[in-house]
Amino acid sequence: MAVRSLLATGPGVAAGPGGPPALDPLDLALVRGEAVFEAMRVYGGRPFRLDAHLDRLAASARAVGLAPPAGLEGLAAEAVAAAGGGDLVLRLICTRGREEPGPGGPSAFAICTDLPASLEAERRRGLRLVLLTTATDPLVRAASPWLLAGVKTTSYAVNMAAQRAARAAGADDAVLVGLGGELLEAPTANLWWRTGQTLHTPTLELGILAGITRATLAELSAGLGLKVLEGVFTAEDLTAADEAFLSSSTREVMPVIEVDGVPLGGGRPGPAAADLQAALRRLAAADPG
């Protein structure tokens, strides 16, 4: 994933001659993982739903008591322009700064990278998922704000460990499951499945991330004759579905063809995933940014 541009602002940023901006090595983003971020698709040089991503970033920052620097929208625009526009991934990262009072205060980085090269091949093929149980009651976790349920921090070590466990089992990705069997989310995406003309997705009350693409698909579904039902579901609901898919800003709509070795939809990507992917691309093309 090649970096196309990297810009930063804030007192916690240093810059060497001719080099990219550097983060203070004592910034708590590095020392303790105290930072929040957003990742979004850029279509034709326009970040998709930037305002929604900035709102979620602000909510994440409030949840961890972090005051992000001002001017993030401008920083994002500069980074996209420096990357040459086009289609890419834009990340905004806000760090806390040093623990001790001093010059190393909060900082913000805007990073533009190429889209993962494997996305379209994976979309045509579809993903194989495994279910991984977490040792938590999701309703209790959601009611415990200090556990940061649904907050987008950079502390993604558990998420990445889940993906590695899935790949070690011969799958492409994982779906996290609560202690009582409640379906939650993938490590970096929201989960959906279709039965008839109804789309199902786990409720945000379980403490999962409120995905920007998740909300967008909920808006688009009515125009495709699909009803959206949010709730508490189990593996039996998923494996009985006509089709399933994941949604995220970077991967958009990614079909699922297998869960724990059980084929879905005849082991082929389903029509609702294809229709929603096409509708999402049409919306992105018409979006002014």
Side-chain angles (χ1 to χ4, degrees):
M1 188 180 297
V3 175
R4 292 171 58 173
S5 69
L6 169 55
L7 281 76
T9 185
V13 174
L23 183 65
D24 185 330
L26 292 180
D27 193 305
L28 290 173
L30 295 176
V31 176
R32 293 181 179 167
E34 289 201 73
V36 296
F37 81 103
E38 284 291 318
M40 66 204 80
R41 285 280 291 242
V42 176
Y43 298 90
R46 301 188 309 274
F48 183 62
R49 304 228 153 162
L50 176 61
D51 288 346
H53 281 283
L54 290 175
D55 287 346
R56 190 172 65 178
L57 184 65
S60 293
R62 288 193 297 271
V64 300
L66 188 157
L72 292 179
E73 186 171 358
L75 186 66
E78 288 184 55
V80 171
D87 296 342
L88 47 89
V89 179
L90 167 66
R91 289 177 174 81
L92 295 174
I93 304 169
C94 296
T95 79
R96 185 179 297 283
R98 289 191 178 210
E99 187 169 17
E100 306 86 5
S107 60
F109 289 79
I111 306 170
C112 291
T113 60
D114 290 332
L115 291 164
S118 62
L119 286 184
E120 295 310 318
E122 290 175 346
R123 200 181 327 278
R124 290 190 296 270
R125 172 176 62 83
L127 300 181
R128 299 177 300 273
L129 304 182
V130 293
L131 303 180
L132 299 179
T133 300
T134 63
T136 57
D137 181 320
L139 293 175
V140 172
R141 177 172 172 260
S144 307
W146 54 90
L147 295 180
L148 302 180
V151 177
K152 201 168 178 66
T153 74
T154 58
S155 302
Y156 259 47
V158 170
N159 306 60
M160 299 301 97
Q163 286 193 334
R164 288 193 297 274
R167 290 164 186 158
D172 300 297
D173 209 338
V175 169
L176 304 177
V177 179
L179 197 57
E182 307 92 344
L183 293 171
L184 301 175
E185 59 191 337
T188 62
N190 288 115
L191 173 67
W192 298 80
W193 63 95
R194 178 184 63 82
T195 303
Q197 293 301 108
T198 301
L199 296 177
H200 302 78
T201 191
T203 175
L204 298 180
E205 294 178 2
L206 293 170
I208 64 175
L209 185 69
I212 305 301
T213 303
R214 177 186 185 275
T216 303
L217 296 187
E219 296 171 13
L220 292 171
S221 61
L224 298 174
L226 298 168
K227 174 185 175 183
V228 175
L229 179 62
E230 301 183 34
V232 180
F233 306 103
T234 65
E236 288 74 19
D237 299 306
L238 176 59
T239 54
D242 296 321
E243 65 173 296
F245 53 92
L246 302 180
S247 68
S248 72
S249 292
T250 298
R251 291 191 282 179
E252 303 172 303
V253 181
M254 191 62 71
V256 171
I257 59 171
E258 182 181 293
V259 177
D260 275 351
V262 177
L264 295 181
R268 296 183 300 275
D275 290 345
L276 285 164
Q277 173 67 18
L280 180 62
R281 286 284 179 92
R282 288 194 298 270
L283 180 64
D287 186 67

XYZ file of all heavy atoms in Angstrom, residues 178-241:
465
model
N -20.331 -12.330 20.368
C -20.387 -12.106 21.804
C -20.431 -13.402 22.584
O -20.652 -14.484 22.030
N -20.267 -13.287 23.897
C -20.216 -14.460 24.766
C -21.502 -15.272 24.705
O -21.492 -16.494 24.880
C -19.935 -14.001 26.201
C -19.442 -15.035 27.202
C -18.166 -15.710 26.715
C -19.214 -14.397 28.562
N -22.627 -14.603 24.430
C -23.899 -15.296 24.321
C -24.248 -15.702 22.904
O -25.397 -16.080 22.638
N -23.286 -15.627 21.990
C -23.526 -16.003 20.599
C -24.012 -14.878 19.713
O -24.372 -15.113 18.552
N -24.013 -13.644 20.220
C -24.496 -12.513 19.438
C -23.501 -12.154 18.326
O -22.327 -11.925 18.586
C -24.686 -11.283 20.336
C -25.554 -11.523 21.553
C -24.740 -11.935 22.788
O -23.540 -12.327 22.621
O -25.280 -11.869 23.891
N -23.982 -12.076 17.097
C -23.148 -11.617 15.997
C -22.851 -10.135 16.184
O -23.760 -9.347 16.469
C -23.856 -11.840 14.669
C -24.078 -13.302 14.246
C -24.992 -13.349 13.029
C -22.757 -13.989 13.943
N -21.585 -9.747 15.990
C -21.192 -8.361 16.206
C -20.743 -7.712 14.901
O -21.550 -7.158 14.181
C -20.099 -8.295 17.282
C -20.504 -8.872 18.650
C -19.331 -8.873 19.610
C -21.693 -8.107 19.218
N -19.474 -7.805 14.565
C -18.917 -7.140 13.390
C -17.638 -7.840 12.994
O -17.087 -8.649 13.745
C -18.631 -5.672 13.717
C -17.661 -5.500 14.885
C -17.576 -4.084 15.400
O -17.893 -3.146 14.646
O -17.186 -3.907 16.566
N -17.144 -7.533 11.811
C -15.823 -7.981 11.407
C -14.785 -7.053 12.026
O -15.124 -5.963 12.498
C -15.715 -7.991 9.889
N -13.515 -7.429 12.044
C -12.504 -6.571 12.660
C -12.413 -5.173 12.070
O -12.080 -4.220 12.777
C -11.199 -7.353 12.433
C -11.625 -8.784 12.385
C -12.948 -8.754 11.688
N -12.717 -5.028 10.774
C -12.652 -3.704 10.146
C -13.864 -3.438 9.263
O -13.785 -2.644 8.317
C -11.362 -3.564 9.292
O -11.386 -4.540 8.242
C -10.111 -3.756 10.129
N -14.997 -4.052 9.549
C -16.171 -3.882 8.689
C -17.432 -4.248 9.456
O -17.382 -4.936 10.478
C -16.050 -4.762 7.432
N -18.554 -3.776 8.938
C -19.852 -4.178 9.470
C -20.373 -5.394 8.708
O -20.003 -5.632 7.557
C -20.861 -3.039 9.366
C -20.586 -1.906 10.351
O -20.267 -0.792 9.941
N -20.713 -2.179 11.632
N -21.253 -6.144 9.348
C -21.798 -7.391 8.800
C -23.244 -7.211 8.378
O -24.045 -6.594 9.087
C -21.703 -8.487 9.866
C -22.374 -9.832 9.554
C -21.655 -10.528 8.398
C -22.395 -10.711 10.797
N -23.594 -7.797 7.222
C -24.962 -7.784 6.686
C -25.297 -9.171 6.124
O -24.410 -9.896 5.700
C -25.089 -6.807 5.514
C -24.828 -5.380 5.795
C -23.602 -4.770 5.894
C -25.802 -4.343 5.950
N -23.761 -3.430 6.111
C -25.092 -3.137 6.147
C -27.196 -4.328 5.928
C -25.749 -1.919 6.327
C -27.848 -3.118 6.108
C -27.129 -1.929 6.309
N -26.578 -9.478 6.075
C -27.036 -10.624 5.292
C -28.478 -10.391 4.860
O -29.188 -9.559 5.426
C -26.897 -11.942 6.053
C -27.719 -12.062 7.308
C -28.947 -12.629 7.462
C -27.338 -11.601 8.616
N -29.362 -12.555 8.762
C -28.391 -11.931 9.498
C -26.207 -10.946 9.129
C -28.353 -11.613 10.860
C -26.166 -10.640 10.474
C -27.233 -10.972 11.327
N -28.870 -11.101 3.815
C -30.207 -10.939 3.234
C -30.976 -12.243 3.309
O -30.455 -13.311 2.976
C -30.102 -10.498 1.769
C -31.468 -10.350 1.070
C -31.319 -10.006 -0.401
N -30.655 -11.059 -1.155
C -31.270 -12.152 -1.630
N -32.566 -12.358 -1.395
N -30.579 -13.053 -2.320
N -32.222 -12.124 3.742
C -33.181 -13.222 3.663
C -34.419 -12.684 2.956
O -35.082 -11.780 3.465
C -33.550 -13.753 5.053
O -32.370 -14.172 5.728
C -34.511 -14.925 4.949
N -34.698 -13.192 1.773
C -35.790 -12.628 0.985
C -35.461 -11.199 0.610
O -34.404 -10.910 0.065
N -36.360 -10.273 0.935
C -36.137 -8.862 0.636
C -35.745 -8.068 1.884
O -35.849 -6.836 1.885
C -37.398 -8.252 0.016
C -37.735 -8.791 -1.373
C -36.600 -8.536 -2.358
O -35.881 -9.446 -2.775
N -36.429 -7.284 -2.729
N -35.299 -8.752 2.904
C -34.913 -8.083 4.155
C -33.417 -8.211 4.391
O -32.864 -9.313 4.351
C -35.677 -8.685 5.355
O -37.090 -8.525 5.145
C -35.284 -7.984 6.650
N -32.786 -7.079 4.622
C -31.391 -7.043 5.022
C -31.309 -6.998 6.539
O -32.031 -6.235 7.191
C -30.686 -5.808 4.453
C -30.570 -5.688 2.938
C -29.918 -4.358 2.575
C -29.761 -6.845 2.367
N -30.444 -7.821 7.091
C -30.243 -7.857 8.528
C -28.840 -7.372 8.864
O -27.883 -7.668 8.137
C -30.408 -9.285 9.065
C -31.743 -9.898 8.779
N -32.081 -10.411 7.538
C -32.826 -10.079 9.572
C -33.316 -10.884 7.578
N -33.798 -10.693 8.801
N -28.712 -6.656 9.960
C -27.404 -6.213 10.434
C -27.471 -6.031 11.948
O -28.514 -5.624 12.476
C -26.969 -4.908 9.727
O -25.586 -4.636 10.007
C -27.810 -3.720 10.139
N -26.409 -6.378 12.667
C -26.439 -6.245 14.136
C -26.680 -4.800 14.571
O -26.195 -3.847 13.955
C -25.054 -6.737 14.554
C -24.663 -7.702 13.472
C -25.202 -7.093 12.215
N -27.425 -4.642 15.647
C -27.759 -3.325 16.165
C -26.548 -2.642 16.781
O -25.681 -3.288 17.392
C -28.885 -3.422 17.212
O -29.109 -2.117 17.782
C -28.534 -4.382 18.338
N -26.508 -1.326 16.663
C -25.425 -0.552 17.272
C -25.467 -0.626 18.790
O -24.475 -0.313 19.463
C -25.509 0.907 16.823
C -25.362 1.170 15.322
C -25.471 2.668 15.031
C -24.055 0.616 14.787
N -26.604 -1.039 19.353
C -26.713 -1.159 20.807
C -25.799 -2.238 21.369
O -25.579 -2.311 22.580
C -28.166 -1.444 21.196
C -29.101 -0.275 20.889
C -30.545 -0.584 21.237
O -30.813 -1.692 21.756
O -31.403 0.278 20.985
N -25.226 -3.069 20.495
C -24.264 -4.082 20.928
C -22.855 -3.517 21.071
O -21.919 -4.249 21.387
C -24.256 -5.254 19.953
C -25.540 -6.085 19.909
C -25.500 -7.065 18.746
C -25.735 -6.839 21.222
N -22.699 -2.216 20.831
C -21.396 -1.597 20.987
C -20.491 -1.731 19.792
O -19.275 -1.586 19.915
N -21.055 -1.994 18.618
C -20.238 -2.097 17.408
C -20.065 -0.713 16.800
O -20.746 0.242 17.161
C -20.856 -3.069 16.389
C -22.211 -2.539 15.894
C -21.012 -4.454 17.004
C -22.837 -3.376 14.805
N -19.144 -0.620 15.839
C -18.858 0.662 15.211
C -20.013 1.088 14.305
O -20.518 0.288 13.515
C -17.568 0.564 14.395
C -17.082 1.874 13.779
C -16.600 2.830 14.860
C -15.977 1.619 12.768
N -20.377 2.350 14.409
C -21.408 2.920 13.536
C -20.770 3.280 12.209
O -20.319 4.407 11.987
C -22.030 4.156 14.188
N -20.702 2.315 11.302
C -20.007 2.508 10.040
C -20.669 3.562 9.168
O -21.898 3.605 9.054
N -19.854 4.405 8.537
C -20.392 5.400 7.606
C -20.986 4.705 6.385
O -22.074 5.062 5.916
C -19.286 6.385 7.179
C -18.615 7.028 8.410
C -19.858 7.434 6.240
C -19.546 7.792 9.297
N -20.318 3.680 5.877
C -20.870 2.918 4.749
C -22.101 2.138 5.192
O -23.057 1.987 4.414
C -19.803 1.977 4.172
O -18.666 2.758 3.795
C -20.315 1.241 2.947
N -22.104 1.652 6.414
C -23.289 0.970 6.954
C -24.505 1.887 6.873
O -25.582 1.480 6.405
C -23.027 0.551 8.400
C -24.193 -0.109 9.126
C -23.808 -0.325 10.594
N -24.822 -1.062 11.341
C -25.890 -0.514 11.914
N -26.106 0.806 11.780
N -26.753 -1.250 12.587
N -24.355 3.141 7.326
C -25.465 4.091 7.279
C -25.856 4.407 5.838
O -27.045 4.547 5.524
C -25.074 5.371 8.017
N -24.873 4.497 4.961
C -25.160 4.792 3.553
C -25.956 3.663 2.904
O -26.910 3.905 2.164
C -23.844 5.026 2.789
O -23.117 6.095 3.413
C -24.117 5.374 1.344
N -25.570 2.422 3.182
C -26.306 1.288 2.606
C -27.734 1.233 3.137
O -28.658 0.853 2.400
C -25.579 -0.020 2.911
C -24.187 -0.189 2.302
C -23.682 -1.611 2.548
C -24.174 0.143 0.820
N -27.919 1.602 4.401
C -29.275 1.636 4.940
C -30.132 2.640 4.177
O -31.323 2.409 3.926
C -29.237 1.974 6.429
N -29.532 3.767 3.773
C -30.250 4.760 2.985
C -30.571 4.228 1.580
O -31.662 4.456 1.054
C -29.403 6.030 2.850
C -29.129 6.759 4.156
C -28.116 7.881 3.957
O -27.828 8.227 2.786
O -27.610 8.395 4.965
N -29.607 3.535 0.979
C -29.761 3.084 -0.401
C -30.707 1.899 -0.540
O -31.264 1.677 -1.618
C -28.391 2.696 -0.971
C -27.385 3.834 -1.177
C -26.021 3.261 -1.542
C -27.875 4.796 -2.254
N -30.877 1.142 0.516
C -31.615 -0.115 0.412
C -33.071 0.088 0.002
O -33.616 -0.723 -0.757
C -31.544 -0.872 1.738
O -32.133 -0.098 2.782
N -33.697 1.160 0.493
C -35.115 1.365 0.162
C -35.304 1.527 -1.340
O -36.278 1.019 -1.910
C -35.644 2.591 0.904
N -34.370 2.218 -2.000
C -34.474 2.403 -3.443
C -34.305 1.115 -4.224
O -34.644 1.060 -5.408
N -33.803 0.080 -3.568
C -33.632 -1.226 -4.212
C -34.713 -2.216 -3.769
O -34.616 -3.404 -4.073
C -32.250 -1.786 -3.872
C -31.069 -0.944 -4.359
C -29.757 -1.527 -3.838
C -31.055 -0.865 -5.878
N -35.714 -1.717 -3.060
C -36.809 -2.581 -2.618
C -36.437 -3.482 -1.459
O -37.068 -4.529 -1.250
N -35.443 -3.087 -0.681
C -34.984 -3.895 0.438
C -35.321 -3.218 1.763
O -35.156 -2.009 1.911
C -33.474 -4.113 0.350
C -32.959 -4.868 -0.875
C -31.456 -4.751 -0.990
C -33.385 -6.332 -0.803
N -35.768 -4.003 2.708
C -36.042 -3.519 4.057
C -34.838 -3.835 4.941
O -34.182 -4.868 4.774
C -37.290 -4.222 4.608
C -37.599 -3.923 6.060
C -38.769 -4.767 6.546
C -39.009 -4.575 8.035
N -40.110 -5.445 8.531
N -34.494 -2.940 5.873
C -33.377 -3.146 6.783
C -33.909 -3.442 8.180
O -34.745 -2.699 8.713
C -32.441 -1.919 6.826
C -31.353 -2.103 7.877
C -31.829 -1.677 5.457
N -33.431 -4.531 8.762
C -33.819 -4.924 10.110
C -32.562 -5.012 10.975
O -31.687 -5.838 10.713
C -34.539 -6.272 10.096
C -34.992 -6.824 11.460
C -36.001 -5.876 12.112
C -35.590 -8.217 11.307
N -32.461 -4.153 11.991
C -31.353 -4.199 12.944
C -31.812 -4.937 14.194
O -32.952 -4.798 14.624
C -30.898 -2.786 13.310
C -30.432 -1.958 12.128
C -29.914 -0.599 12.548
O -29.323 -0.496 13.651
O -30.092 0.365 11.783
N -30.909 -5.717 14.794
C -31.290 -6.449 15.988
C -30.150 -7.275 16.536
O -28.980 -7.076 16.199
N -30.513 -8.214 17.396
C -29.554 -9.144 17.992
C -29.761 -10.489 17.311
O -30.860 -11.060 17.372
C -29.753 -9.252 19.512
C -28.754 -10.228 20.115
C -29.614 -7.873 20.167
N -28.730 -10.994 16.658
C -28.835 -12.202 15.858
C -27.718 -13.173 16.226
O -26.729 -12.803 16.858
C -28.750 -11.857 14.362
C -29.734 -10.835 13.897
C -29.343 -9.520 13.663
C -31.064 -11.170 13.699
C -30.248 -8.573 13.232
C -31.980 -10.225 13.266
C -31.571 -8.919 13.033
N -27.895 -14.420 15.804
C -26.907 -15.460 16.084
C -26.407 -16.084 14.781
O -26.898 -15.777 13.698
C -27.502 -16.559 16.972
O -28.546 -17.231 16.245
C -28.069 -15.983 18.271
N -25.449 -16.974 14.909
C -24.865 -17.632 13.733
C -25.912 -18.354 12.910
O -25.813 -18.424 11.675
C -23.777 -18.603 14.179
N -26.936 -18.908 13.553
C -27.976 -19.633 12.825
C -28.718 -18.700 11.868
O -29.118 -19.112 10.769
C -28.959 -20.277 13.794
C -28.401 -21.462 14.553
C -27.425 -21.072 15.652
O -27.446 -19.879 16.075
O -26.629 -21.932 16.079
N -28.908 -17.451 12.273
C -29.549 -16.481 11.375
C -28.684 -16.222 10.150
O -29.186 -16.141 9.025
C -29.787 -15.158 12.120
C -30.704 -15.309 13.318
O -31.817 -15.830 13.135
O -30.300 -14.918 14.425
N -27.391 -16.112 10.367
C -26.471 -15.819 9.265
C -26.358 -16.983 8.294
O -26.444 -16.809 7.074
C -25.104 -15.451 9.838
C -23.968 -15.207 8.847
C -24.314 -14.082 7.881
C -22.677 -14.882 9.601
N -26.167 -18.171 8.802
C -25.938 -19.316 7.907
C -27.206 -19.744 7.174
O -27.128 -20.486 6.184
C -25.366 -20.506 8.685
O -26.222 -20.818 9.799
C -23.971 -20.181 9.212
N -28.373 -19.277 7.628
C -29.625 -19.572 6.922
C -29.954 -18.525 5.863
O -30.973 -18.632 5.175
C -30.782 -19.665 7.923
N -29.092 -17.516 5.700
C -29.380 -16.400 4.807
C -29.224 -16.780 3.345
O -28.560 -17.758 2.988
C -28.452 -15.228 5.136
